[in-house]
Amino acid sequence: MTGAWLAGLAAAALLASSHAQASAVVESMTGEVRAGNVAVAQGARIGPGATVVLGPQAKATLKFDDGMRIVLDRSTTLRITDFRYDAANAGGDQAVFDLTRGAMRMITGTIGKRSPLALALRMQQATVQVRGTDYMVALVNPAFLQVLAGSIAAANGAGTVVFGQKAFGEIAGPSSLAVPTSEAAVSEAARGAFARLLEGLNPVAAVPPEGAAAGAAAGEGAPAISATGAVMLGVGAAVIWVLTNSESTTSH
């Protein structure tokens, strides 16, 4: 009883302190949504350190101070591990999330545009970094991903793979390289989650990271990752760059 009470008190403190310097507000929600052990309502502010837990019939959209939106599917658990944003100071940008269950969609905001390396979504299978992006992830063992706009890099012990717009990917585990897949090969559970995450919020046009426009003007189509040793694979409309760990360590 004491442990549960203390956990609830800590979660309430996170919610209360976030009113002074919020990282996110619950923009919309249905069903049961909790921050730790504390139930939250639409309009509630949630700060760094909070773990957002959705019930089996829930859905929620979190809007962050930099304009980023994260849409959470039912039965999802996401920890806002770190979030720091100052509109006047890009050097302090930091946004780190840990997805341990369920499915989510991320539509990046200012941090994703001006400081893409400061934004990371961590999962057991891999860490995802973004480049002006709208994408979805579903943890259904294996993990599946879909890129709606922009591109993402999925990195783990096996290496890094960059998935372009319209790409689907699969990540079997932390020691398996992410691989491209087709929409038809995505599991039924993941396809259902992706369909729900698209409801009411249409895909947005990709906003490239700062500095990417110059590269595009020079004829460089690849995202701003290391070019040495990169292997380009075409998969339908998607373009995917693969970079192994050994290549990444020698290309900086």
Side-chain angles (χ1 to χ4, degrees):
M1 179 68 70
T2 301
W5 180 82
L6 288 174
L9 185 63
L14 285 171
L15 289 172
S17 63
S18 65
H19 282 277
Q21 187 175 358
S23 63
V25 61
V26 181
E27 186 175 50
S28 65
M29 59 169 283
T30 58
E32 181 184 23
V33 180
R34 308 182 72 85
N37 292 325
V38 177
V40 300
Q42 186 167 325
R45 295 180 179 270
I46 301 177
T51 297
V52 183
V53 182
L54 271 66
Q57 302 300 322
K59 182 179 179 180
T61 299
L62 308 180
K63 183 176 181 181
F64 287 77
D65 287 351
D66 73 327
M68 172 174 58
R69 283 182 169 87
I70 290 181
V71 186
L72 302 175
D73 191 33
R74 62 194 186 193
S75 300
T76 292
T77 300
L78 177 75
R79 178 175 173 81
I80 305 172
T81 306
D82 193 5
F83 187 89
R84 285 171 277 166
Y85 171 70
D86 181 344
N89 179 24
D93 289 347
Q94 190 72 38
V96 181
F97 305 92
D98 287 282
L99 180 67
T100 57
R101 184 180 65 141
M104 60 165 278
R105 177 182 175 188
M106 179 184 288
I107 305 170
T108 58
T110 300
I111 292 178
K113 177 183 177 182
R114 72 184 187 184
S115 306
L117 295 180
L119 173 57
L121 172 65
R122 303 187 302 199
M123 309 172 290
Q124 180 185 8
Q125 294 86 350
T127 295
V128 174
Q129 289 189 308
V130 306
R131 290 158 175 82
T133 306
D134 180 355
Y135 74 99
M136 301 183 288
V137 173
L139 303 183
V140 293
N141 193 24
F144 288 97
L145 58 88
Q146 178 181 356
V147 182
L148 301 170
S151 61
I152 64 173
N156 59 19
T160 301
V161 180
V162 176
F163 293 88
Q165 186 168 319
K166 299 184 179 180
F168 289 84
E170 178 180 337
I171 314 171
S175 60
S176 300
L177 193 68
V179 295
T181 191
S182 66
E183 183 176 5
V186 175
S187 73
E188 183 177 353
R191 287 201 306 270
F194 290 163
R196 290 189 296 273
L197 292 170
L198 285 170
E199 293 173 355
L201 196 59
N202 293 327
V204 299
V207 178
E210 292 181 356
E220 299 171 0
I225 63 169
S226 174
T228 304
V231 179
M232 187 171 72
L233 305 174
V235 181
V239 178
I240 298 171
W241 288 266
V242 181
L243 191 65
T244 66
N245 279 347
S246 60
E247 290 165 342
S248 64
T249 57
T250 61
S251 58
H252 293 286

